[in-house]
Amino acid sequence: MHWKIIITAAAATHGVHAAATLRFSCSQLVVERLDPLVNPGLNPSPHLHQVVGGNAFNVSMDPSVHDLPTTATCTSCTPTEDFSNYWTAVLFFRAKNGTFHRVNTFGNELGFTQATGGQTVYYLTTGNAKVTAFKPGFRMTVGDPSFRTAAELNAKYKYMDYTCLQSSMTRGGATTNFPNKPCPAGIMVSIRFPTCWDGKNLDSPDHQSHVAYPQGNSCPSTHPVTVPQLFYETYWDTRPFNDKSQWPTDGSQPFVWSFGDKTGYGIHGDYVFGWKGDALQKAMDTNCNSDLFANKINCNVLKTQSLADANKCTKTTQVAENLDGWMKELPGGMAVM
Ligand SMILES: *[C@@H]1O[C@H](CO)[C@@H](O)[C@H](O)[C@H]1NC(C)=O
Ligand SMILES: *[C@@H]1O[C@H](CO)[C@@H](O)[C@H](O)[C@H]1NC(C)=O
């Protein structure tokens, strides 16, 4: 999977455009304890998230009343017609004395160093089937925050992992649990969503069963529609926490997710589609691609903005809680287990 993406992206930089390999930066929009998909209306939600995309992100985002492209006034992503929201949990460092410190995201050093954190988003075509863009109101999650073992994760999900960055260029050697050694250039978290849709439901009660993984190279008959491979890469700046003398003495690693996971197997991501009109479909149909080492989308059907402008799209948090400095407990008092 890794190699496939690297090869496709490399091909894109060499003028072979057999597929869409859209890759772009979305700066940090807000870090707050809201989850309009899993806990609509709940302020605060149980655990903390880092969110990117359009500024229509809110406590509730019911698709029947909340239209992202018309509600949002800016996006933290570089394609300016993308008002989608993308979010993940937040990483924390747990010190020997049991206090927690939030870990920041930082701009992907492959082209996006000037982004104020956030994440890299990819929309890729996979296989030979025609790719159908997501529809207005579409949303999904991948992963399960309750999982704490490899067996649980592997039985249900694929293609979500951690890369211990030796340098910003490190690819390969990914694990499905947190790296067990300090990572000199940070930790890259990769979250890839399933690529087959049932073609009918914009959402489902578990936010997952309307999508499925392909079987072999094609989508199963229950989920026959091939959608773009949505893929998040988040660079976590664990570099300030690499002093091994500050790590646990029992050989374990010190990072925990905001939902209390110290294993990493509870990795998960959330998506609410919010592209304007048919911009994403056009980008897929015209095999839009991106340079791997630059903030450059090669695509005459998409409008884009600079990283500096994307950085300007932020939201003030709607949840009154301090997220800075050393904390006695994770936000929301999530227990580490
Ligand atoms: C967020 O929701 C509140 C109501 O809960 C509303 O007043 C506000 O305008 C919304 N903001 C956006 C950007 O949609
Ligand atoms: C806990 O450990 C951290 C990291 O060593 C330190 O900065 C902080 O001051 C400590 N807090 C307390 C209450 O001892």
Side-chain angles (χ1 to χ4, degrees):
M1 192 65 195
H2 281 284
W3 287 112
K4 183 169 181 182
I5 282 158
I6 290 164
I7 290 162
T8 334
T13 60
H14 290 100
V16 183
H17 307 317
T21 54
L22 191 58
R23 169 188 186 267
F24 54 86
S25 171
C26 296
S27 306
Q28 199 76 80
L29 178 76
V30 65
V31 174
E32 67 184 350
R33 208 140 59 81
L34 290 185
D35 191 337
L37 185 40
V38 177
N39 305 110
L42 201 60
N43 178 353
S45 67
H47 68 257
L48 188 67
H49 294 115
Q50 64 85 18
V51 185
V52 303
N55 68 345
F57 181 79
N58 211 337
V59 186
S60 296
M61 293 171 70
D62 178 347
S64 65
V65 290
H66 193 86
D67 178 56
L68 275 66
T70 51
T71 310
T73 55
C74 67
T75 173
S76 74
C77 301
T78 55
T80 52
E81 292 150 303
D82 183 13
F83 301 102
S84 304
N85 285 115
Y86 311 89
W87 67 95
T88 74
V90 172
L91 214 53
F92 281 83
F93 171 78
R94 181 165 56 158
K96 275 180 171 167
N97 61 22
T99 62
F100 298 88
H101 201 291
R102 186 161 61 90
V103 179
N104 282 318
T105 55
F106 67 110
N108 188 323
E109 291 183 350
L110 275 60
F112 308 143
T113 41
Q114 285 143 33
T116 50
Q119 61 189 47
T120 304
V121 172
Y122 294 77
Y123 287 88
L124 306 168
T125 51
T126 54
N128 296 322
K130 179 180 155 55
V131 168
T132 302
F134 307 104
K135 302 283 181 248
F138 182 91
R139 55 266 315 272
M140 63 178 163
T141 66
V142 66
D144 186 330
S146 75
F147 285 179
R148 294 294 180 272
T149 65
E152 286 171 304
L153 181 69
N154 295 338
K156 191 156 179 201
Y157 301 107
K158 301 176 189 201
Y159 317 133
M160 296 193 287
D161 49 44
Y162 303 84
T163 303
C164 185
L165 298 172
Q166 306 304 310
S167 78
S168 53
M169 300 288 292
T170 305
R171 291 298 180 275
T175 55
T176 52
N177 53 297
F178 284 128
N180 57 13
K181 291 196 218 31
C183 302
I187 296 175
M188 181 175 77
V189 176
S190 302
I191 297 177
R192 302 174 184 84
F193 289 78
T195 51
C196 302
W197 176 43
D198 70 10
K200 297 185 200 89
N201 297 295
L202 299 173
D203 196 1
S204 46
D206 65 358
H207 311 293
Q208 300 189 352
S209 43
H210 56 314
V211 293
Y213 294 106
Q215 291 168 355
N217 284 325
S218 48
C219 283
S221 59
T222 51
H223 297 77
V225 180
T226 301
V227 288
Q229 164 92 78
L230 179 64
F231 168 19
Y232 303 169
E233 256 174 14
T234 313
Y235 275 57
W236 290 97
D237 194 0
T238 53
R239 294 172 294 189
F241 309 104
N242 278 351
D243 178 357
K244 208 60 206 284
S245 72
Q246 300 298 313
W247 279 41
T249 46
D250 66 359
S252 64
Q253 65 79 42
F255 296 102
V256 297
W257 279 121
S258 50
F259 51 97
D261 176 15
K262 61 179 179 178
T263 66
Y265 298 119
I267 186 169
H268 64 281
D270 296 59
Y271 174 58
V272 174
F273 171 84
W275 285 77
K276 195 172 175 183
D278 60 352
L280 179 61
Q281 185 68 60
K282 277 204 250 157
M284 293 290 110
D285 290 348
T286 48
N287 292 332
C288 289
N289 63 85
S290 309
D291 286 4
L292 188 53
F293 301 102
N295 176 34
K296 185 163 184 285
I297 296 175
N298 303 309
C299 182
N300 57 16
V301 298
L302 286 185
K303 300 184 187 79
T304 60
Q305 63 185 349
S306 66
L307 290 169
D309 284 338
N311 288 344
K312 286 182 200 149
C313 187
T314 59
K315 280 199 79 159
T316 46
T317 174
Q318 299 187 58
V319 183
E321 71 183 342
N322 176 37
L323 299 172
D324 298 322
W326 294 97
M327 303 175 198
K328 286 206 189 69
E329 57 177 15
L330 291 171
M334 296 303 294
V336 177
M337 45 197 256

